[in-house]
Amino acid sequence: MKGFVWAALLGLGVAGFTPAAVAQGRDFYLMQYNSTVRDMNKLVDRINALKTDIRTEKDFTRGCSMLASLISDMKEAQILTERLAGYAYQIDDMENHRAAVDQHNAYLEERRFWEEQRDRMCK
């Protein structure tokens, strides 16, 4: 009987902490999501700058180097969008989850295009 009482009290204690733990977990994922959004914004700025610079670059070696940087940044963007999708899922934000998945797929397709360009021009 004594063991049953302790088990019941322990169960009530765990049940009492569960909403706080869930809220704390949600706060953590929300903080991670916001941090990743900031990182993604910086990366998108770099990607856009590289795309602009590539269009006007006349030096072959520099252009190939810029293509390599662009492809690397796009790989990183894919990783960040995967994280965004995961964090959005954790905070139950399905709209942003789907948007991150779509964005990931768009970066994948665009990265393949730039890889083909690099292979065609730089190898």
Side-chain angles (χ1 to χ4, degrees):
M1 181 72 174
K2 224 179 183 183
F4 177 74
V5 172
W6 282 110
L9 288 174
L10 181 62
L12 288 174
V14 170
F17 288 114
T18 302
V22 169
Q24 186 178 16
R26 187 180 192 294
D27 289 345
F28 169 77
Y29 288 115
L30 187 58
M31 180 183 69
Q32 292 298 312
Y33 180 85
N34 290 332
S35 175
T36 305
V37 166
R38 284 189 297 276
D39 293 344
M40 189 69 190
N41 288 337
K42 292 175 191 174
L43 186 60
V44 168
D45 288 343
R46 276 198 331 247
I47 288 171
N48 289 336
L50 279 168
K51 286 180 188 177
T52 301
D53 293 346
I54 285 172
R55 289 186 183 101
T56 60
E57 185 57 50
K58 301 208 185 298
D59 182 73
F60 175 78
T61 306
R62 176 125 169 86
C64 288
S65 174
M66 292 167 80
L67 272 174
S69 294
L70 177 62
I71 291 166
S72 175
D73 284 349
M74 287 192 164
K75 287 178 184 176
E76 186 178 344
Q78 284 181 261
I79 292 168
L80 289 177
T81 54
E82 287 174 12
R83 287 183 189 162
L84 284 173
Y87 296 143
Y89 182 81
Q90 291 294 330
I91 60 176
D92 200 30
D93 185 350
M94 291 302 120
E95 184 177 331
N96 281 325
H97 172 76
R98 282 188 289 282
V101 169
D102 291 343
Q103 192 175 23
H104 173 271
N105 293 337
Y107 277 118
L108 176 63
E109 289 178 27
E110 189 174 3
R111 190 187 93 214
R112 287 180 180 158
F113 167 79
W114 289 110
E115 287 172 338
E116 289 173 5
Q117 296 299 312
R118 180 200 58 200
D119 293 346
R120 186 175 61 82
M121 291 188 280
C122 299
K123 290 189 178 187

